[in-house]
Amino acid sequence: MKSKYLRQIPILTLVVSLNIIGSLMAKGETETQEANKQIVTKENQKMNKVNKSDTDWKKQLTPEQFAVTRQQCTERPFSGEYNNWKGKGVFKCVCCGALLFDSNQKFDSGTGWPSFWDAAKTENIEMKKDNSMGMERTEVLCRHCQAHLGHLFPDGPAPTHMRYCINSAALKFEEKK
């Protein structure tokens, strides 16, 4: 009888310990989930979606900006305001003002459009498969207002080796102060 009792003590201790650990983990998990919900809620507040009618966009944008950002057109190469731009600052979405690119990441790709090797805020960029024009490409969109910005290609410089080929008409420049 004595040996049976001694053998049960470690098992009982293990069961009780596992129950305590499980309770603590569940409590910690709940607290973590609550914290994550708060973070997600704050992010959603920062990333409000912009929904406007074409009529409203036409009132806000020039005809070229509307054609590029709302109708997925492409400006003529070497015609855009920011193709040879050398100013120091940031490039924002012409539609909603979301921060997209930094002048420190801009480079001359020789393609005729402003090119960037990375985004300033990747959370403001959305990628979408684009099979138009008889080729497979990656379309770059503003995550907030779904403005068409341009396309992404895997032929850029180091460190990313990516080239965000962006229409000037989709951007507005803000000088660094």
Side-chain angles (χ1 to χ4, degrees):
M1 178 131 17
K2 191 175 189 182
S3 66
K4 183 179 176 189
Y5 176 75
L6 289 175
R7 277 185 283 184
Q8 289 177 346
I9 290 175
I11 292 172
L12 287 173
T13 304
L14 178 62
V15 170
V16 170
S17 297
L18 288 176
N19 284 336
I20 291 170
I21 291 169
S23 295
L24 291 172
M25 287 176 66
K27 182 181 179 196
E29 188 173 304
T30 303
E31 289 172 358
T32 301
Q33 288 170 342
E34 278 304 310
N36 286 341
K37 282 181 192 173
Q38 289 174 358
I39 290 169
V40 169
T41 303
K42 286 180 183 175
E43 266 314 298
N44 287 344
Q45 289 170 353
K46 288 181 197 171
M47 292 186 58
N48 290 333
K49 297 286 183 185
V50 177
N51 292 312
K52 291 184 179 183
S53 67
D54 280 351
T55 303
D56 289 335
W57 285 123
K58 284 180 181 178
K59 288 177 187 173
Q60 176 184 331
L61 304 169
T62 68
E64 183 182 29
Q65 290 170 333
F66 180 81
V68 168
T69 61
R70 310 319 309 170
Q71 298 177 316
Q72 289 74 32
C73 292
T74 300
E75 63 195 11
R76 288 185 335 275
F78 303 101
S79 68
E81 177 181 6
Y82 300 122
N83 180 46
N84 292 316
W85 192 262
K86 303 292 186 224
K88 294 295 179 193
V90 293
F91 295 87
K92 295 184 173 184
C93 177
V94 73
C95 294
C96 70
L99 175 60
L100 302 171
F101 301 99
D102 189 294
S103 63
N104 291 327
Q105 296 159 328
K106 188 176 185 298
F107 70 99
D108 183 6
S109 65
T111 61
W113 292 277
S115 297
F116 304 87
W117 52 265
D118 203 0
K121 290 201 73 148
T122 54
E123 61 267 27
N124 290 344
I125 301 283
E126 188 173 310
M127 307 296 179
K128 184 176 162 187
K129 189 180 228 181
D130 178 5
N131 292 321
S132 65
M133 310 289 280
M135 57 184 129
E136 190 174 305
R137 302 180 292 177
T138 301
E139 181 181 11
V140 180
L141 302 157
C142 172
R143 186 177 304 268
H144 300 278
C145 67
Q146 295 298 294
H148 169 76
L149 304 173
H151 290 88
L152 179 65
F153 299 98
D155 60 1
T160 64
H161 302 286
M162 301 305 285
R163 174 173 53 97
Y164 289 83
C165 186
I166 306 299
N167 291 285
S168 287
L171 301 173
K172 66 179 175 184
F173 180 76
E174 190 174 286
E175 194 171 1
K176 282 187 182 170
K177 297 173 185 175

PDB file of all heavy atoms in Angstrom, residues 90-108:
ATOM      1  N   VAL A  90       9.575  62.858 -49.447  1.00  0.00           N
ATOM      2  CA  VAL A  90       8.772  61.639 -49.561  1.00  0.00           C
ATOM      3  C   VAL A  90       7.723  61.811 -50.648  1.00  0.00           C
ATOM      4  O   VAL A  90       7.314  62.923 -50.982  1.00  0.00           O
ATOM      5  CB  VAL A  90       8.092  61.278 -48.224  1.00  0.00           C
ATOM      6  CG1 VAL A  90       9.138  60.886 -47.186  1.00  0.00           C
ATOM      7  CG2 VAL A  90       7.208  62.399 -47.715  1.00  0.00           C
ATOM      8  N   PHE A  91       7.310  60.684 -51.192  1.00  0.00           N
ATOM      9  CA  PHE A  91       6.273  60.643 -52.207  1.00  0.00           C
ATOM     10  C   PHE A  91       5.035  60.016 -51.591  1.00  0.00           C
ATOM     11  O   PHE A  91       5.108  58.930 -51.017  1.00  0.00           O
ATOM     12  CB  PHE A  91       6.737  59.828 -53.416  1.00  0.00           C
ATOM     13  CG  PHE A  91       7.891  60.453 -54.145  1.00  0.00           C
ATOM     14  CD1 PHE A  91       9.201  60.189 -53.759  1.00  0.00           C
ATOM     15  CD2 PHE A  91       7.677  61.313 -55.217  1.00  0.00           C
ATOM     16  CE1 PHE A  91      10.272  60.760 -54.428  1.00  0.00           C
ATOM     17  CE2 PHE A  91       8.740  61.894 -55.885  1.00  0.00           C
ATOM     18  CZ  PHE A  91      10.042  61.619 -55.492  1.00  0.00           C
ATOM     19  N   LYS A  92       3.911  60.731 -51.733  1.00  0.00           N
ATOM     20  CA  LYS A  92       2.649  60.267 -51.169  1.00  0.00           C
ATOM     21  C   LYS A  92       1.653  59.986 -52.283  1.00  0.00           C
ATOM     22  O   LYS A  92       1.810  60.463 -53.413  1.00  0.00           O
ATOM     23  CB  LYS A  92       2.088  61.327 -50.215  1.00  0.00           C
ATOM     24  CG  LYS A  92       2.967  61.531 -48.994  1.00  0.00           C
ATOM     25  CD  LYS A  92       2.349  62.491 -48.021  1.00  0.00           C
ATOM     26  CE  LYS A  92       3.166  62.559 -46.734  1.00  0.00           C
ATOM     27  NZ  LYS A  92       2.519  63.408 -45.741  1.00  0.00           N
ATOM     28  N   CYS A  93       0.624  59.236 -51.949  1.00  0.00           N
ATOM     29  CA  CYS A  93      -0.447  58.934 -52.895  1.00  0.00           C
ATOM     30  C   CYS A  93      -1.169  60.226 -53.254  1.00  0.00           C
ATOM     31  O   CYS A  93      -1.595  60.968 -52.362  1.00  0.00           O
ATOM     32  CB  CYS A  93      -1.409  57.920 -52.279  1.00  0.00           C
ATOM     33  SG  CYS A  93      -2.825  57.550 -53.337  1.00  0.00           S
ATOM     34  N   VAL A  94      -1.317  60.500 -54.532  1.00  0.00           N
ATOM     35  CA  VAL A  94      -1.981  61.724 -54.979  1.00  0.00           C
ATOM     36  C   VAL A  94      -3.474  61.708 -54.618  1.00  0.00           C
ATOM     37  O   VAL A  94      -4.090  62.762 -54.478  1.00  0.00           O
ATOM     38  CB  VAL A  94      -1.777  61.935 -56.502  1.00  0.00           C
ATOM     39  CG1 VAL A  94      -2.606  60.948 -57.323  1.00  0.00           C
ATOM     40  CG2 VAL A  94      -2.070  63.358 -56.909  1.00  0.00           C
ATOM     41  N   CYS A  95      -4.025  60.525 -54.415  1.00  0.00           N
ATOM     42  CA  CYS A  95      -5.456  60.413 -54.101  1.00  0.00           C
ATOM     43  C   CYS A  95      -5.756  60.608 -52.622  1.00  0.00           C
ATOM     44  O   CYS A  95      -6.653  61.364 -52.263  1.00  0.00           O
ATOM     45  CB  CYS A  95      -5.978  59.049 -54.539  1.00  0.00           C
ATOM     46  SG  CYS A  95      -5.951  58.809 -56.326  1.00  0.00           S
ATOM     47  N   CYS A  96      -5.007  59.913 -51.756  1.00  0.00           N
ATOM     48  CA  CYS A  96      -5.368  59.930 -50.323  1.00  0.00           C
ATOM     49  C   CYS A  96      -4.269  60.441 -49.403  1.00  0.00           C
ATOM     50  O   CYS A  96      -4.496  60.599 -48.206  1.00  0.00           O
ATOM     51  CB  CYS A  96      -5.802  58.536 -49.875  1.00  0.00           C
ATOM     52  SG  CYS A  96      -4.460  57.334 -49.797  1.00  0.00           S
ATOM     53  N   GLY A  97      -3.073  60.686 -49.927  1.00  0.00           N
ATOM     54  CA  GLY A  97      -1.994  61.231 -49.112  1.00  0.00           C
ATOM     55  C   GLY A  97      -1.202  60.212 -48.308  1.00  0.00           C
ATOM     56  O   GLY A  97      -0.352  60.587 -47.502  1.00  0.00           O
ATOM     57  N   ALA A  98      -1.435  58.921 -48.523  1.00  0.00           N
ATOM     58  CA  ALA A  98      -0.676  57.891 -47.795  1.00  0.00           C
ATOM     59  C   ALA A  98       0.795  57.935 -48.195  1.00  0.00           C
ATOM     60  O   ALA A  98       1.122  58.085 -49.375  1.00  0.00           O
ATOM     61  CB  ALA A  98      -1.255  56.506 -48.078  1.00  0.00           C
ATOM     62  N   LEU A  99       1.688  57.796 -47.219  1.00  0.00           N
ATOM     63  CA  LEU A  99       3.131  57.752 -47.473  1.00  0.00           C
ATOM     64  C   LEU A  99       3.471  56.478 -48.238  1.00  0.00           C
ATOM     65  O   LEU A  99       3.116  55.376 -47.801  1.00  0.00           O
ATOM     66  CB  LEU A  99       3.907  57.795 -46.153  1.00  0.00           C
ATOM     67  CG  LEU A  99       5.414  57.638 -46.244  1.00  0.00           C
ATOM     68  CD1 LEU A  99       6.043  58.747 -47.088  1.00  0.00           C
ATOM     69  CD2 LEU A  99       6.022  57.619 -44.853  1.00  0.00           C
ATOM     70  N   LEU A 100       4.163  56.630 -49.380  1.00  0.00           N
ATOM     71  CA  LEU A 100       4.482  55.480 -50.221  1.00  0.00           C
ATOM     72  C   LEU A 100       5.982  55.255 -50.388  1.00  0.00           C
ATOM     73  O   LEU A 100       6.474  54.166 -50.136  1.00  0.00           O
ATOM     74  CB  LEU A 100       3.833  55.654 -51.604  1.00  0.00           C
ATOM     75  CG  LEU A 100       2.312  55.813 -51.622  1.00  0.00           C
ATOM     76  CD1 LEU A 100       1.833  56.201 -53.019  1.00  0.00           C
ATOM     77  CD2 LEU A 100       1.648  54.539 -51.133  1.00  0.00           C
ATOM     78  N   PHE A 101       6.711  56.284 -50.829  1.00  0.00           N
ATOM     79  CA  PHE A 101       8.126  56.124 -51.161  1.00  0.00           C
ATOM     80  C   PHE A 101       8.945  57.279 -50.600  1.00  0.00           C
ATOM     81  O   PHE A 101       8.431  58.365 -50.371  1.00  0.00           O
ATOM     82  CB  PHE A 101       8.310  56.047 -52.686  1.00  0.00           C
ATOM     83  CG  PHE A 101       7.563  54.909 -53.319  1.00  0.00           C
ATOM     84  CD1 PHE A 101       6.333  55.117 -53.925  1.00  0.00           C
ATOM     85  CD2 PHE A 101       8.074  53.625 -53.292  1.00  0.00           C
ATOM     86  CE1 PHE A 101       5.628  54.080 -54.496  1.00  0.00           C
ATOM     87  CE2 PHE A 101       7.377  52.576 -53.858  1.00  0.00           C
ATOM     88  CZ  PHE A 101       6.146  52.797 -54.460  1.00  0.00           C
ATOM     89  N   ASP A 102      10.248  57.018 -50.419  1.00  0.00           N
ATOM     90  CA  ASP A 102      11.194  58.010 -49.930  1.00  0.00           C
ATOM     91  C   ASP A 102      12.196  58.295 -51.043  1.00  0.00           C
ATOM     92  O   ASP A 102      12.614  57.366 -51.759  1.00  0.00           O
ATOM     93  CB  ASP A 102      11.906  57.460 -48.685  1.00  0.00           C
ATOM     94  CG  ASP A 102      12.741  58.508 -47.991  1.00  0.00           C
ATOM     95  OD1 ASP A 102      13.747  58.969 -48.587  1.00  0.00           O
ATOM     96  OD2 ASP A 102      12.412  58.859 -46.850  1.00  0.00           O
ATOM     97  N   SER A 103      12.598  59.545 -51.172  1.00  0.00           N
ATOM     98  CA  SER A 103      13.552  59.908 -52.229  1.00  0.00           C
ATOM     99  C   SER A 103      14.887  59.176 -52.072  1.00  0.00           C
ATOM    100  O   SER A 103      15.609  58.996 -53.057  1.00  0.00           O
ATOM    101  CB  SER A 103      13.775  61.421 -52.248  1.00  0.00           C
ATOM    102  OG  SER A 103      14.348  61.854 -51.024  1.00  0.00           O
ATOM    103  N   ASN A 104      15.232  58.743 -50.860  1.00  0.00           N
ATOM    104  CA  ASN A 104      16.475  57.996 -50.649  1.00  0.00           C
ATOM    105  C   ASN A 104      16.430  56.614 -51.301  1.00  0.00           C
ATOM    106  O   ASN A 104      17.472  55.979 -51.461  1.00  0.00           O
ATOM    107  CB  ASN A 104      16.760  57.834 -49.150  1.00  0.00           C
ATOM    108  CG  ASN A 104      17.117  59.146 -48.502  1.00  0.00           C
ATOM    109  OD1 ASN A 104      17.729  60.012 -49.119  1.00  0.00           O
ATOM    110  ND2 ASN A 104      16.714  59.314 -47.253  1.00  0.00           N
ATOM    111  N   GLN A 105      15.245  56.151 -51.673  1.00  0.00           N
ATOM    112  CA  GLN A 105      15.104  54.842 -52.302  1.00  0.00           C
ATOM    113  C   GLN A 105      14.825  54.958 -53.801  1.00  0.00           C
ATOM    114  O   GLN A 105      14.604  53.969 -54.477  1.00  0.00           O
ATOM    115  CB  GLN A 105      13.968  54.067 -51.608  1.00  0.00           C
ATOM    116  CG  GLN A 105      14.313  53.796 -50.151  1.00  0.00           C
ATOM    117  CD  GLN A 105      13.098  53.508 -49.302  1.00  0.00           C
ATOM    118  OE1 GLN A 105      12.016  54.027 -49.532  1.00  0.00           O
ATOM    119  NE2 GLN A 105      13.287  52.692 -48.289  1.00  0.00           N
ATOM    120  N   LYS A 106      14.886  56.168 -54.313  1.00  0.00           N
ATOM    121  CA  LYS A 106      14.646  56.410 -55.735  1.00  0.00           C
ATOM    122  C   LYS A 106      15.948  56.211 -56.506  1.00  0.00           C
ATOM    123  O   LYS A 106      17.024  56.529 -56.016  1.00  0.00           O
ATOM    124  CB  LYS A 106      14.127  57.840 -55.930  1.00  0.00           C
ATOM    125  CG  LYS A 106      13.647  58.159 -57.326  1.00  0.00           C
ATOM    126  CD  LYS A 106      13.060  59.571 -57.374  1.00  0.00           C
ATOM    127  CE  LYS A 106      12.468  59.900 -58.710  1.00  0.00           C
ATOM    128  NZ  LYS A 106      13.395  59.891 -59.830  1.00  0.00           N
ATOM    129  N   PHE A 107      15.828  55.677 -57.710  1.00  0.00           N
ATOM    130  CA  PHE A 107      17.010  55.511 -58.561  1.00  0.00           C
ATOM    131  C   PHE A 107      16.612  55.704 -60.013  1.00  0.00           C
ATOM    132  O   PHE A 107      15.435  55.622 -60.366  1.00  0.00           O
ATOM    133  CB  PHE A 107      17.678  54.140 -58.341  1.00  0.00           C
ATOM    134  CG  PHE A 107      16.885  52.968 -58.860  1.00  0.00           C
ATOM    135  CD1 PHE A 107      17.183  52.385 -60.079  1.00  0.00           C
ATOM    136  CD2 PHE A 107      15.841  52.432 -58.111  1.00  0.00           C
ATOM    137  CE1 PHE A 107      16.457  51.304 -60.558  1.00  0.00           C
ATOM    138  CE2 PHE A 107      15.106  51.344 -58.575  1.00  0.00           C
ATOM    139  CZ  PHE A 107      15.415  50.783 -59.802  1.00  0.00           C
ATOM    140  N   ASP A 108      17.597  55.968 -60.856  1.00  0.00           N
ATOM    141  CA  ASP A 108      17.344  56.165 -62.280  1.00  0.00           C
ATOM    142  C   ASP A 108      17.424  54.811 -62.975  1.00  0.00           C
ATOM    143  O   ASP A 108      18.504  54.268 -63.176  1.00  0.00           O
ATOM    144  CB  ASP A 108      18.357  57.144 -62.877  1.00  0.00           C
ATOM    145  CG  ASP A 108      18.093  57.437 -64.345  1.00  0.00           C
ATOM    146  OD1 ASP A 108      17.058  56.974 -64.880  1.00  0.00           O
ATOM    147  OD2 ASP A 108      18.910  58.132 -64.961  1.00  0.00           O
TER     148      ASP A 108
END
